[in-house]
Amino acid sequence: MSQQSTVGSWQSAIGTKHDLVMSGVQNLIVYRKAFELAMEIFQMIKSFPKEEKYGLISQIRNSSRSVCSNIAEGYRKRQYPAHFVSKISDADMENTETQVWLDFSLKCKYIDDKIYNLYLEKSQEIGKLLNHMMKHPEKYS
């Protein structure tokens, strides 16, 4: 049997790789909201000045994406409550860092008040969801 037909039969038996992933962390509202915000920030920073490439652009891009990766890492280890809470705490820390970079973006006049307030509100909502996860890890095991 060829490798391609083996993969094909495997996928038909269990669904696509995307179906498998969707049954996990991507079903979490907090993950979807964090991913959406990270993608919005990615679009936003395209208009930032080139001199910010290794400064503000890099920092806000990395912190916003780290929220998602820490949620995913914690979710994967949710059978260990202390590890789960630690990774969700890391996600919360990265979310807070993203808020700081939004503050700088506003003060440097790279974004206007409307965008700042919209993204800050989304980030604060993500923070509330993350705090709920840290206080109630048993709901995610």
Side-chain angles (χ1 to χ4, degrees), residues 104-119:
F104 277 103
S105 299
L106 178 66
K107 292 296 181 186
C108 292
K109 300 187 186 320
Y110 299 150
I111 59 175
D112 61 24
D113 288 334
K114 182 179 176 184
I115 293 294
Y116 172 79
N117 289 327
L118 175 65
Y119 290 175

